[in-house]
């Protein structure tokens, strides 16, 4: 006697799930509804449309997920949606800034603009360039780096390798305070010294103020990199009878060199765009001055400020300000790329 065997469908513990394309569909629908609402309400700003679309995306994501997958999975969906909305809120202004700078800065940015100074060209007239500002920025930032980088690195070495007790706590406290000092305060400090000695504006004075701003950044970044070096490396070196100073020089610093270099590069990028101390101490110059220790100099941030301040009714000055801004952004971007390249090059190699 035979019995018919019916095949049962495989059991599963998985519930209903939304398809992978559902977030994109919800996002497209949210944008469409936001545009419709903005048009009907007479909202002319795309920023308002974007905020409405983001809010609709969050609400729709939770509602659809709760209906299909349940409230528990809907909470996970809403958390992911919040991350994406926050990411877009951070990226969109940055992309818009870069796009606007490139679109407006390329109008007068050419070889002539990069290789000539303003000289006797009036701000209201086309012509002139930023060669004198590039020279001034490179010299001022370079001198500030020569001053601040060794001081910052050595201070960080003291705090990590030797610092104990009240002195280390005091140094750490003042480094934290210096990190939050406004740039104009550093400029006023150097300006007060210049007034005491009756000194005229010159490029190196700006370098001193920039160095004050750079030191705490270098100290903090170097300190964190040194802390990442495993103590086993220090102990192995000391166990061989090598002095501590030589252990730091031959083991600790080479291991963290990539991170230290990256921190210094980022500190340079941070001070490269400072305007207030340069305005107080360097004063600006329409002609080329290759000597940072005598006479007023120009710099890219100060050039941008002065051209924009004098751009009322003059499109030429306005265009030069945007072109100089694009050059400064390119300079900072190159520094960041160099920092990443050096960090990858000097990173400890894993394996054999």
């Amino acid at each position: 006697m035979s019995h018919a065997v019916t095949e049962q469908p495989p059991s599963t513990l998985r519930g209903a799930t939304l398809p992978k394309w559902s977030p994109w569909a919800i996002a497209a629908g949210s944008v469409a509804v936001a545009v419709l609402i903005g048009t009907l309400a007479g909202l002319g700003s795309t920023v308002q449309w974007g905020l409405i679309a983001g809010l609709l995306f969050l609400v729709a994501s939770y509602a659809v997920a709760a209906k299909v997958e349940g409230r528990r999975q809907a909470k996970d969906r809403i958390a992911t949606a919040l991350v994406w909305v926050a990411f877009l809120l951070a990226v969109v202004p940055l992309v818009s800034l870069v796009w606007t700078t490139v679109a407006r800065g390329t109008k007068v940015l050419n070889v002539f603009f990069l290789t000539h100074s303003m000289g006797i060209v009036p701000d209201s007239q086309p012509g002139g360039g930023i060669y004198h500002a590039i020279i001034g920025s490179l010299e001022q930032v370079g001198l500030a780096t020569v001053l601040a980088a060794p001081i910052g690195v050595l201070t960080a070495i003291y705090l990590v390798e030797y610092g104990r007790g009240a002195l280390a706590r005091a140094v750490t406290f003042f480094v934290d305070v210096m990190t939050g000092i406004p740039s104009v305060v550093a400029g006023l400090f150097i300006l007060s010294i210049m007034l005491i000695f009756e000194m005229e504006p010159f490029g190196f004075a700006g370098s001193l103020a920039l160095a004050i701003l750079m030191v705490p950044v270098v100290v903090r970044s170097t300190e964190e990199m040194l802390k990442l070096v495993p103590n086993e490396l220090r102990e192995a070196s000391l166990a061989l009878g090598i002095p501590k100073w030589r252990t730091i020089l031959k083991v600790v610093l080479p291991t963290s060199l990539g991170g230290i270099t990256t921190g210094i590069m980022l500190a340079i990028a941070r001070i490269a765009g400072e305007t207030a101390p340069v305005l107080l101490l360097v004063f600006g110059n329409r002609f080329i001055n290759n000597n940072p220790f005598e006479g007023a100099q120009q710099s890219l941030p100060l050039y941008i400020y002065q051209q924009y301040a004098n751009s009322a009714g003059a499109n030429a000055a306005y265009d030069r300000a945007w072109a100089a801004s694009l050059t400064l952004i390119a300079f900072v971007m190159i520094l960041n790329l160099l920092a990443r390249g050096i960090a990858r090059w000097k990173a400890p190699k894993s394996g054999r």
Side-chain angles (χ1 to χ4, degrees):
M1 186 174 180
S2 60
H3 296 278
V5 179
T6 58
E7 186 177 353
Q8 299 292 331
S11 61
T12 177
L13 297 178
R14 295 184 61 184
T17 58
L18 291 172
K20 293 183 178 180
W21 48 263
S22 60
W24 299 101
I26 295 173
S30 300
V31 171
V33 174
V35 171
L36 179 61
I37 294 175
T39 303
L40 295 177
L43 302 177
S45 174
T46 55
V47 175
Q48 294 174 323
W49 291 9
L51 293 176
I52 295 173
L55 181 60
L56 291 175
F57 177 70
L58 294 176
V59 174
S61 297
Y62 180 83
V64 174
K67 181 69 174 179
V68 178
E69 300 176 331
R71 290 190 175 183
R72 182 175 180 179
Q73 188 65 21
K75 293 179 181 179
D76 180 74
R77 293 272 185 182
I78 198 68
T80 305
L82 281 171
V83 171
W84 278 103
V85 171
F87 169 75
L88 291 175
L89 288 176
V91 169
V92 169
L94 177 61
V95 173
S96 176
L97 172 64
V98 174
W99 176 263
T100 303
T101 305
V102 171
R104 298 186 177 183
T106 52
K107 291 182 179 180
V108 296
L109 185 60
N110 50 39
V111 176
F112 181 89
F113 184 74
L114 295 174
T115 56
H116 287 75
S117 65
M118 287 301 296
I120 60 174
V121 178
D123 290 333
S124 59
Q125 298 298 320
I130 57 171
Y131 180 76
H132 60 311
I134 294 176
I135 294 296
S137 285
L138 291 177
E139 290 182 348
Q140 293 160 28
V141 173
L143 289 172
T145 304
V146 170
L147 293 173
I151 296 174
V153 172
L154 292 175
T155 302
I157 291 174
Y158 166 76
L159 292 176
V160 175
E161 304 293 338
Y162 298 98
R164 300 291 185 275
L167 179 58
R169 290 193 296 269
V171 172
T172 302
F173 172 76
F174 283 110
V175 168
D176 293 337
V177 172
M178 288 178 64
T179 305
I181 288 180
S183 59
V184 67
V185 176
L188 288 173
F189 172 71
I190 302 299
L191 180 62
S192 64
I193 298 176
M194 292 175 60
L195 292 177
I196 292 174
F197 293 97
E198 298 181 353
M199 302 171 68
E200 296 294 329
F202 62 109
F204 185 65
S207 299
L208 293 175
L210 295 178
I212 293 174
L213 299 173
M214 186 176 176
V215 165
V217 180
V218 176
V219 172
R220 274 286 162 256
S221 60
T222 304
E223 190 177 359
E224 295 302 320
M225 291 301 104
L226 294 177
K227 289 179 180 179
L228 293 177
V229 178
N231 285 328
E232 289 78 5
L233 295 179
R234 298 180 176 90
E235 294 169 357
S237 178
L238 295 173
L240 295 175
I242 299 176
K244 188 170 185 178
W245 69 269
R246 194 170 180 84
T247 298
I248 296 172
L249 187 63
K250 295 294 185 179
V251 177
V252 178
L253 287 179
T255 304
S256 57
L257 184 59
I260 294 174
T261 306
T262 302
I264 294 174
M265 289 288 187
L266 294 178
I268 294 173
R270 185 249 191 248
I271 66 172
E274 290 293 343
T275 306
V278 180
L279 178 63
L280 291 173
L281 306 171
V282 180
F283 205 68
N285 193 344
R286 302 180 67 87
F287 296 90
I288 299 173
N289 180 11
N290 293 321
N291 185 3
F293 299 98
E294 183 180 359
Q297 263 192 327
Q298 187 63 275
S299 72
L300 280 173
L302 182 57
Y303 179 90
I304 295 168
Y305 168 75
Q306 291 176 341
Q307 289 296 311
Y308 184 79
N310 298 329
S311 65
N315 291 329
Y318 195 66
D319 292 338
R320 284 193 295 264
W322 279 107
S325 301
L326 181 57
T327 305
L328 184 59
I329 290 177
F331 175 69
V332 174
M333 186 179 298
I334 291 172
L335 284 179
N336 280 275
L337 292 176
L338 285 175
R340 290 179 179 273
I342 294 173
R344 181 171 296 183
W345 174 43
K346 292 295 185 179
K349 304 298 187 294
S350 58
R352 303 188 65 172

